[in-house]
Amino acid sequence: MVGIILIVLILVLAIGPFLVPVPSLENTKTIEQLADADSQFIELNGINVHYKKWGEGEPTFILLHGFGASLFSWREVIEPLSKFGTVIAYDRPAFGLTERPLEWEGENPYSPQAQTDLVIALMDELDIEKAILVGNSAGGTISMQAALQHPERVQALILVDAAVYAGGGAPSWVRPILKTPQMNHLGPLIARQLQARGKDFIKLAFHDPSKVTPDIFEGYQKPLQAENWDTALWQFTLTSQESGLVKRLTELTVPALVITGDDDRIVPTEQSLRLADELPNATLSVIAQSGNLPHEESPVEFMQAVTDFLSTLK
């Protein structure tokens, strides 16, 4: 009897997920339909990358958004930053209006290494010798990896609630399960939870959820009208891994500004305090009454911290 039960259980686990229907996305739009008047696209490492550019001259700021966001998240600080030099914000693969390939040769375009390589490819294509990388949350992780692998290309780091000590996706023991055919079948449905629970996620990122206006929510939801966004997000999830940054922080000797909200419930504030303490050449700025997105929630205070930091750079 026990043997029969085990056989039935195995069959349910093996076959059951394939019986769950995964309906196609409805009312999707092409990237061209979703693009803004000032949107630009550039082919990098086989991917059509969406970016926008403001200002001119040096320094050059490259803005890397966090998980579930897009270059839209930098809207409040782009113009103030452009008064100092050139500002380039782009959508990381699996987000925004950047192309979402479902087939590729070589390196998975959603992997952490491919995302790091993309930063340098962007700089190469736009003839940028050195840049100040500004990374929020997971975008901070990519910024730090780029600085470790190509220190000669990074003038400074501005790390906004950077995900260093936590994150990296699912625990290592779960990842083999995620890559099974059964989970791959269900993956797009799991990814669609970002859309279903999007407003709650955005509000969690703010200290004051009342600041999440309908326009802000619409800006975050807009890329979720793109074709294949759910499958691409699942592919991104499958590539998640530990960054290994904790053991290499002493190698990051470039000037760094660590900015955190004092009420970050996604990347806990104490983690940014620790990061500022462990980086060899870091300055810390804690923004009061702000969460994981101080550049959105407290742009004036954010820009004051950046302005003070830039004045220390040679």
Side-chain angles (χ1 to χ4, degrees):
M1 180 61 70
V2 174
I4 295 175
I5 293 174
L6 286 175
I7 291 173
V8 171
L9 180 60
I10 290 171
L11 288 174
V12 169
L13 293 174
I15 300 174
F18 293 112
L19 301 179
V20 177
V22 182
S24 300
L25 290 171
E26 296 181 352
N27 303 316
T28 59
K29 297 182 180 180
T30 65
I31 294 301
E32 290 74 19
Q33 291 173 317
L34 294 169
D36 300 317
D38 58 346
S39 290
Q40 298 187 60
F41 293 88
I42 188 170
E43 189 80 11
L44 300 172
N45 297 345
I47 299 177
N48 199 23
V49 175
H50 177 237
Y51 78 102
K52 296 184 179 183
K53 182 179 179 180
W54 302 262
E56 58 184 11
E58 296 181 350
T60 297
F61 302 88
I62 298 180
L63 314 184
L64 293 85
H65 62 79
F67 178 85
S70 67
L71 60 78
F72 171 79
S73 70
W74 300 106
R75 67 197 175 281
E76 297 289 348
V77 298
I78 285 169
E79 183 178 350
L81 277 174
S82 69
K83 295 178 181 178
F84 293 98
T86 303
V87 178
I88 297 170
Y90 75 98
D91 291 333
R92 295 167 50 217
F95 304 103
L97 303 186
T98 285
E99 181 185 5
R100 294 167 165 83
L102 301 184
E103 296 181 357
W104 55 84
E105 294 182 4
E107 182 74 35
N108 185 321
Y110 304 109
S111 70
Q113 185 57 55
Q115 301 246 351
T116 301
D117 292 342
L118 199 67
V119 178
I120 304 304
L122 177 68
M123 294 176 64
D124 288 344
E125 193 67 25
L126 297 180
D127 295 321
I128 301 167
E129 182 179 354
K130 272 193 169 186
I132 297 174
L133 303 184
V134 187
N136 171 232
S137 200
T141 307
I142 300 300
S143 299
M144 295 169 74
Q145 294 285 16
L148 280 170
Q149 296 178 30
H150 303 275
E152 75 285 355
R153 307 296 298 275
V154 179
Q155 181 180 353
L157 292 167
I158 298 177
L159 305 171
V160 188
D161 300 80
V164 175
Y165 303 99
S172 58
W173 63 270
V174 173
R175 292 171 197 161
I177 299 174
L178 297 181
K179 296 178 181 180
T180 61
Q182 291 84 352
M183 289 303 296
N184 268 323
H185 174 74
L186 297 175
L189 290 181
I190 297 171
R192 291 177 198 180
Q193 290 303 304
L194 179 66
Q195 185 176 51
R197 302 181 61 184
K199 186 169 290 187
D200 292 336
F201 184 74
I202 296 170
K203 287 184 175 181
L204 182 65
F206 275 67
H207 163 76
D208 182 359
S210 68
K211 292 184 177 180
V212 182
T213 65
D215 286 344
I216 291 175
F217 181 65
E218 181 180 348
Y220 271 88
Q221 289 286 299
K222 179 179 177 180
L224 302 186
Q225 301 175 56
E227 299 166 336
N228 300 318
W229 73 264
D230 55 341
T231 304
L233 185 60
W234 178 249
Q235 290 299 322
F236 174 89
T237 302
L238 293 180
T239 68
S240 63
Q241 60 188 53
E242 297 296 332
S243 69
L245 283 171
V246 176
K247 298 179 180 179
R248 301 190 64 187
L249 293 180
T250 57
E251 300 175 43
L252 282 165
T253 58
V254 298
L257 171 62
V258 176
I259 301 179
T260 180
D262 68 346
D263 184 29
D264 189 344
R265 287 163 284 170
I266 295 177
V267 178
T269 302
E270 57 266 24
Q271 293 186 11
S272 290
L273 302 184
R274 177 183 170 187
L275 179 62
D277 184 59
E278 295 186 354
L279 284 173
N281 193 13
T283 302
L284 173 67
S285 177
V286 180
I287 298 181
Q289 298 183 328
S290 191
N292 183 255
L293 304 167
H295 50 294
E296 295 192 62
E297 192 169 12
S298 306
V300 173
E301 293 80 0
F302 176 91
M303 280 308 307
Q304 185 60 59
V306 170
T307 300
D308 292 344
F309 174 66
L310 293 177
S311 69
T312 68
L313 299 180
K314 297 181 181 179

